[in-house]
Amino acid sequence: MEGVKLIVTKTLSSHFQVTHTVHMSTLGPSGYRFNATFLGDRQLGPTEVFPTLLGDMDSAGSLNAQVLQLLGERLRTKAVFQAQRSRFVTWQFDAEYRGDDCTAALTLGNPDLLAGSGILVAHFLQSVTARLVLGAELVYHRRPGEEGAILTLAGKYSAPNWEATLNVGYGGAHASYYHRANEQVQVGVELEANPRLQESSFAFGYQLNLPRANAVFRGLLDSSWSVGGVLEKRLPPLPVTLALGAFLNHRRDRFHCGFGVTVA
Amino acid sequence: KSAPKSQKSAPKSPKNPPKIPLKIPKNQPQNPHKSAPKPAQNALKIPKKSAPKSPQKSAPQSKKIGPKIPKKSAPKSQKWAPKCPKNHRKMELFPVQMEGVKLTVNKGLSNHFQVNHTVALSTLGESNYHFGATYVGTKHLSPTEAFPVLVGDMDNSGSLNAQVVHQVSSRIRSKIAFQTQQSKFVNWQVDGEYRGGDFTAALTLGNPDILMGSGILVAHYLQSVTPALALGAELVYHRRPGEEGAVLSLAGRYSAPSWIGTVTLGQAGAHLTYYHRASEQLQVGVEFEASTRLQDSSVAFGYQLELPRGNLLFRGSLDSSWQVGAVLEKKLPPLPLTLALGAFINHRKEKFHCGFGLTIG
């Protein structure tokens, strides 16, 4: 977190919401962002509403657009477009089928029929027991003159208070552990090893919820000797949230700090 | 009063510390290249403190209760020291440039002694830790001022900043200041000020070096012509082996009930300031500076907005070098905390700094 950020969110109706973001940055360029979100009628869960149309435009002209739609009872589709200046850098299509105890998804990323390139990701997750989920993911990428595939196996175990995930594959291993100590404290640990780049990293983070003080504190400690913390405090009765953050990288001797105000 | 106490989640011991209400402003390190030292007075900024909330709690700590000390209100002609045109001392209502995170802890150990710790994590320069100690003596000139005052500030790299201010007699005040950069003395100055009935005369000797035959001598005189108008002059004489010179500048100040205007003219340039108190909450100031040596001039506009009921203080500034800055200070009762948020943007150089700080105590 660096620089000063002001976020103003305005809900125009139960279906439409716009957000203005002004970011004054100490490191890079400052800019203004405009975001518009349309939510449809079909609501499947507290956070899942279909169809969802999301658009984000930068002051430099970069666009980020997403469309989420529900086809049938179990099939969700998503399309994502990303443009920087006037060039499209990402266009991706996604389809996910949710069965009773399994999930299958297919993603097509940056398909280019003329150049014959693209990325295809297929993943399948099966709930073996009520707590254990096993699955696999296959990533196939193709460029003119080159193609390759990577298979990754994944497993997740959930207990009432904690959750552990493990991803092992040709590209490396990723393990994470999340623990909910009590209503206020949540702790997470993440380990990542990459045999190709021959490096591994470890991160420890925690979140402290203080609802009576209207504050949320998140802390982070990295294996690259990075320490950071972000404090978010709501300021009733105004619908304003103040966020203060600071990150210190001991190894590179760099310090960033910033604060942000979110209105509604 | 027990109901609000149960809601307090602050640490219990300093709950109502009616401690010494003395805030000594941090000594800004003086530019060693400046040819004239600042003949500014050491202002004892004493903030208003409300009466202790729980009288029965303060009984065991009775030795810590200081008198209720309102702001110092000396007659204006004695308070003002004309600024040397080479100095760039901004008025107090201009915001301070903030970058990085700063944590300040002030602890009053007794009625006479106060220490403060400051940890500054900087995004641009070096992070540092400062330790400061302030001692206020027993000789009371008035309910607001006590002498002698000893202020010391030590850096984690060993740089020291020390000041001793003492009232030698009822009209003469003297000050000695030292500043070192690591282990090298960069500033040592001694000051004497005489306050007559309607005039002030001061003599400052800066960095005197008898072996080398160098030093700076500043003499200034201020006469209160009418209750509103004060005129004066300042002579700066500097000497180095092989070179000596003197600069004379004339100064004038006019005070009205709600505004103050000052003019300083000299061989080195002109400096004009105008300060206006628009209402109890809003104060506005404009400063114009022209330097013949550097052949440039600058204008700065600043304002201060005080909302005591919201525990808020906001300072903004706008410069002729296209620099816009603001600092927001908010007290967070019931804890003795003050949060300061500041941001500065220099449009011409396209640089942006922001920072926040927390003061405890």
Side-chain angles (χ1 to χ4, degrees):
Chain A
M1 188 173 187
E2 54 88 24
V4 177
K5 198 177 245 192
L6 171 68
I7 303 172
V8 180
T9 306
K10 185 100 182 113
T11 307
L12 297 174
S13 83
S14 63
H15 295 282
F16 199 63
Q17 180 182 313
V18 296
T19 306
H20 305 269
T21 306
V22 178
H23 181 56
M24 295 202 281
S25 164
T26 50
L27 302 171
S30 311
Y32 162 77
R33 256 196 140 87
F34 176 73
N35 180 311
T37 306
F38 171 77
L39 303 165
D41 291 322
R42 187 82 189 271
Q43 179 146 12
L44 280 188
T47 53
E48 297 188 304
V49 184
F50 294 102
T52 299
L53 279 83
L54 210 134
D56 196 285
M57 190 94 183
D58 208 354
S59 57
S62 308
L63 169 73
N64 196 345
Q66 288 190 20
V67 178
L68 288 94
Q69 177 63 286
L70 188 71
L71 299 173
E73 281 292 326
R74 294 176 182 269
L75 192 62
R76 289 152 206 250
T77 59
K78 182 163 102 168
V80 176
F81 297 97
Q82 235 178 349
Q84 257 176 19
R85 311 270 163 120
S86 51
R87 243 183 91 245
F88 273 91
V89 294
T90 305
W91 54 104
Q92 164 179 325
F93 307 96
D94 201 278
E96 185 179 307
Y97 174 83
R98 290 209 180 175
D100 285 327
D101 58 353
C102 66
T103 304
L106 193 72
T107 306
L108 189 60
N110 289 27
D112 194 343
L113 294 168
L114 299 174
S117 72
I119 300 171
L120 187 76
V121 180
H123 86 245
F124 181 76
L125 286 171
Q126 172 76 49
S127 180
V128 172
T129 74
R131 295 193 176 184
L132 184 63
V133 175
L134 298 173
E137 181 181 71
L138 179 71
V139 178
Y140 170 75
H141 67 91
R142 183 193 172 116
R143 264 199 302 250
E146 187 214 338
E147 61 178 8
I150 301 174
L151 178 71
T152 311
L153 302 171
K156 173 164 135 167
Y157 186 84
S158 333
N161 276 346
W162 57 271
E163 217 174 73
T165 72
L166 179 68
N167 286 18
V168 181
Y170 185 69
H174 183 196
S176 78
Y177 174 75
Y178 161 81
H179 188 106
R180 192 186 189 86
N182 56 37
E183 268 188 26
Q184 295 173 333
V185 182
Q186 297 170 49
V187 169
V189 179
E190 197 175 84
L191 174 70
E192 186 151 355
N194 198 330
R196 244 181 328 149
L197 299 171
Q198 302 244 313
E199 67 180 22
S200 63
S201 75
F202 161 85
F204 167 77
Y206 66 94
Q207 175 169 319
L208 195 63
N209 275 7
L210 299 167
R212 295 219 298 189
N214 285 322
V216 175
F217 181 78
R218 295 191 178 100
L220 167 78
L221 174 62
D222 215 343
S223 66
S224 61
W225 296 100
S226 242
V227 183
V230 173
L231 173 73
E232 270 171 41
K233 184 152 167 67
R234 276 188 299 136
L235 308 168
L238 306 163
V240 173
T241 303
L242 174 71
L244 303 170
F247 273 80
L248 175 60
N249 191 332
H250 284 279
R251 188 180 280 175
R252 291 190 218 155
D253 246 338
R254 264 195 253 162
F255 178 73
H256 304 307
C257 72
F259 60 90
V261 176
T262 305
V263 179
Chain B
K1 272 265 175 180
S2 55
K5 266 189 235 158
S6 59
Q7 291 171 7
K8 273 192 229 181
S9 54
K12 294 224 171 38
S13 52
K15 205 184 276 203
N16 287 321
K19 52 185 189 281
I20 181 171
L22 245 177
K23 271 215 188 104
I24 306 291
K26 217 171 125 59
N27 250 343
Q28 300 297 327
Q30 295 183 4
N31 190 354
H33 299 294
K34 264 206 280 214
S35 57
K38 274 191 222 178
Q41 75 275 26
N42 186 15
L44 277 172
K45 255 196 270 195
I46 299 171
K48 285 194 205 143
K49 268 267 167 106
S50 56
K53 283 198 193 105
S54 58
Q56 66 273 18
K57 265 259 174 182
S58 57
Q61 304 173 10
S62 56
K63 64 177 167 75
K64 285 201 193 172
I65 298 176
K68 239 194 281 188
I69 296 180
K71 277 216 163 84
K72 177 161 84 153
S73 56
K76 292 203 176 75
S77 60
Q78 294 176 3
K79 216 169 49 158
W80 176 56
K83 292 170 270 206
C84 177
K86 292 189 194 99
N87 296 339
H88 294 277
R89 191 183 76 136
K90 289 242 188 316
M91 292 186 267
E92 275 164 19
L93 51 79
F94 277 77
V96 176
Q97 268 216 18
M98 286 179 74
E99 54 89 22
V101 176
K102 194 177 248 192
L103 172 70
T104 307
V105 180
N106 291 329
K107 183 105 183 107
L109 298 175
S110 84
N111 236 350
H112 298 279
F113 199 62
Q114 182 190 34
V115 295
N116 53 67
H117 305 268
T118 306
V119 178
L121 296 170
S122 163
T123 51
L124 302 170
E126 290 283 322
S127 309
N128 51 43
Y129 163 75
H130 281 262
F131 175 75
T134 306
Y135 170 77
V136 176
T138 49
K139 183 171 173 182
H140 281 274
L141 186 67
S142 69
T144 59
E145 297 178 287
F147 289 101
V149 177
L150 280 82
V151 181
D153 190 282
M154 190 96 183
D155 203 358
N156 63 320
S157 62
S159 305
L160 170 73
N161 227 332
Q163 278 192 23
V164 179
V165 184
H166 189 56
Q167 190 87 16
V168 175
S169 79
S170 66
R171 289 186 183 269
I172 303 178
R173 183 181 296 189
S174 74
K175 181 170 103 169
I176 307 170
F178 296 100
Q179 199 184 350
T180 74
Q181 202 102 5
Q182 280 154 3
S183 55
K184 200 169 143 281
F185 272 87
V186 294
N187 230 349
W188 55 103
Q189 85 183 45
V190 65
D191 199 285
E193 184 181 303
Y194 179 87
R195 290 195 180 181
D198 61 351
F199 70 92
T200 306
L203 193 71
T204 305
L205 187 61
N207 290 27
D209 195 340
I210 305 173
L211 299 173
M212 277 228 303
S214 74
I216 298 169
L217 188 75
V218 179
H220 87 245
Y221 180 80
L222 266 179
Q223 171 77 49
S224 179
V225 172
T226 75
L229 182 64
L231 299 172
E234 182 180 70
L235 180 71
V236 180
Y237 169 75
H238 69 91
R239 181 191 171 121
R240 267 199 300 250
E243 187 212 338
E244 62 178 8
V247 175
L248 177 74
S249 59
L250 304 169
R253 172 172 145 144
Y254 187 83
S255 337
S258 65
W259 60 270
I260 299 171
T262 73
V263 177
T264 306
L265 292 170
Q267 298 160 282
H271 188 191
L272 283 81
T273 71
Y274 175 75
Y275 162 80
H276 189 105
R277 194 184 190 88
S279 71
E280 265 190 31
Q281 296 167 338
L282 184 61
Q283 296 171 49
V284 167
V286 183
E287 191 172 319
F288 169 77
E289 189 148 358
S291 170
T292 54
R293 218 166 24 120
L294 303 168
Q295 299 251 312
D296 75 350
S297 60
S298 70
V299 180
F301 167 76
Y303 67 94
Q304 173 171 307
L305 193 64
E306 270 178 62
L307 298 169
R309 295 216 301 190
N311 285 321
L312 205 72
L313 184 71
F314 183 79
R315 294 193 177 110
S317 81
L318 174 61
D319 214 329
S320 66
S321 60
W322 296 101
Q323 183 170 281
V324 182
V327 169
L328 174 77
E329 276 180 29
K330 180 142 170 73
K331 290 208 222 329
L332 307 169
L335 306 162
L337 292 182
T338 304
L339 175 69
L341 305 170
F344 263 77
I345 181 162
N346 191 330
H347 285 280
R348 189 180 280 175
K349 292 185 210 163
E350 265 182 56
K351 266 197 244 167
F352 176 73
H353 302 310
C354 72
F356 60 88
L358 189 67
T359 305
I360 302 176

